Amino acid sequence: MTAPVRNAMTVDVEDYFQVQAFAGCIDRAAWHDFTPRVETNVDRILEQFAAAGVSATFFTLGWIAERHKPMVRRIVAAGHELASHGYDHTRADTQEPERFRADVRHTRELLEDIGGVAVRGYRAATFSIGARNPWAFRVLEEEGYAYSSSVNPIRHDLYGMPDAPRAPYRPGDGMLWEIPMTTLRAFGRNWPCSGGGYFRLLPYSAFRQALALVNRRQAAIFYFHPWEIDPHQPRIADCGWKSRFRHYTNLSRMTARLDRLLQDFAWDRMDRVFADETFTSPACGRGAFV
Ligand SMILES: [Zn+2]
């Protein structure tokens, strides 16, 4: 028996009123009007991870961290990796380079001050690094980040870079790694296989099968949000059926599904799963399951 492939478990720490799906109808200035639920949900996640013996990476918004400092410290104390999700969920591809630099610098400093640990990882809001803003990788490296997990090599209406490599790569001539979100290559295209809404919308057995196929060749990344385990969150009205469908479908099933996922695969923090990049396979296998 060979040891199972270790995959990276990740949580994007933001509250239910901060998600991209609602960005068009909730102004940032109104965030203060909402009652936060992120801390209760993160505590439930910490309990679930502890029960399963899983360590994870928490990509955390600076806006959340400065309002929930004890929560950030509990994440670190439980042995998880603290990483940056930017300050206030502004897409990287809507920022000029200097504004992006200020955002990622401020967020790293905030998280390091609060958490008392080095922050090496970054995930752009809504996977918003792509062909439009490749300069972002250089800025991240100059600002002290070691890796980014911001590219999603799929087609999607809100994000995606379908021609990007599907395995970790160095996007420039520097040392920073991009560790792209996991996809399954089949029938000539990349299929999302890293969690998010798809994990709630598809049957669990289909997701498990897809992840097992990925693990034949490489480690995967899974991601979810604290609000996804919270079926009792206040409903945001008047925001379009698509956003509501994406946000609210199967929330009540999420905790049980996560339990199965934690049991069915081996999980660890990003910085440990991808500690030494030993990928020898080409980034993309055309036409076959990879
Ligand atoms: Zn996010």
Side-chain angles (χ1 to χ4, degrees), residues 12-14 18-20 61 85 89 123-126 223 225:
D12 290 0
V13 182
E14 59 202 50
Q18 300 176 309
V19 302
Q20 182 67 38
L61 288 184
H85 195 33
H89 221 259
R123 174 171 292 155
T126 324
Y223 84 101
H225 307 88

Side-chain angles (χ1 to χ4, degrees), residues 209-222:
Q209 268 188 317
L211 196 51
L213 282 169
V214 170
N215 276 173
R216 289 184 185 179
R217 294 290 294 272
Q218 66 185 77
I221 303 173
F222 183 86

Side-chain angles (χ1 to χ4, degrees), residues 13-14 20 38 46 65 80 106 109 123 127 168 220 277:
V13 182
E14 59 202 50
Q20 182 67 38
V38 67
L46 290 175
H80 302 294
H106 179 53
E109 289 173 352
R123 174 171 292 155
F127 308 115
E277 291 304 328

Side-chain angles (χ1 to χ4, degrees), residues 11-241:
V11 184
D12 290 0
V13 182
E14 59 202 50
D15 220 327
Y16 65 99
F17 50 83
Q18 300 176 309
V19 302
Q20 182 67 38
F22 296 145
C25 44
I26 301 177
D27 194 82
R28 277 183 182 73
W31 284 0
H32 297 275
D33 300 336
F34 290 84
T35 303
R37 298 174 72 86
V38 67
E39 190 149 349
T40 306
N41 292 328
V42 164
D43 282 344
R44 285 180 55 204
I45 292 166
L46 290 175
E47 280 175 28
Q48 197 173 4
F49 285 173
V54 165
S55 297
T57 295
F58 286 71
F59 291 98
T60 305
L61 288 184
W63 193 96
I64 289 288
E66 63 188 3
R67 287 164 178 79
H68 301 275
K69 292 177 184 173
M71 179 194 79
V72 172
R73 295 186 187 117
R74 288 198 293 280
I75 290 171
V76 172
H80 302 294
E81 179 188 8
L82 184 62
S84 165
H85 195 33
Y87 182 72
D88 64 357
H89 221 259
T90 302
R91 293 179 63 117
D93 57 2
T94 63
Q95 301 184 58
E96 294 302 315
E98 284 317 303
R99 185 168 167 227
F100 178 73
R101 182 185 298 280
D103 180 315
V104 299
R105 178 182 296 177
H106 179 53
T107 305
R108 188 174 62 77
E109 289 173 352
L110 254 180
L111 292 170
E112 291 187 344
D113 279 352
I114 297 167
V117 289
V119 166
R120 303 172 64 244
Y122 172 78
R123 174 171 292 155
T126 324
F127 308 115
S128 54
I129 297 183
R132 287 205 286 169
N133 55 347
W135 47 262
F137 293 117
R138 179 181 297 273
V139 173
L140 284 171
E141 180 167 3
E142 288 169 355
E143 292 305 322
Y145 290 89
Y147 75 87
S148 155
S149 180
S150 305
V151 168
N152 206 328
I154 60 169
R155 287 186 202 286
H156 189 282
D157 58 345
L158 297 178
Y159 53 80
M161 191 179 178
D163 300 327
R166 298 174 45 251
Y169 65 103
R170 286 198 164 118
D173 45 13
M175 299 300 288
L176 181 120
W177 286 90
E178 168 60 33
I179 307 176
M181 300 310 286
T182 301
T183 52
L184 180 70
R185 181 83 186 168
F187 310 114
R189 60 175 287 185
N190 299 338
W191 303 86
C193 193
S194 58
Y198 299 100
F199 183 69
R200 283 182 288 118
L201 299 174
L202 294 172
Y204 174 74
S205 57
F207 189 85
R208 185 183 59 195
Q209 268 188 317
L211 196 51
L213 282 169
V214 170
N215 276 173
R216 289 184 185 179
R217 294 290 294 272
Q218 66 185 77
I221 303 173
F222 183 86
Y223 84 101
F224 70 104
H225 307 88
W227 55 263
E228 290 186 86
I229 62 156
D230 182 9
H232 305 301
Q233 64 191 273
R235 295 303 194 251
I236 310 289
D238 306 325
C239 215
W241 68 268

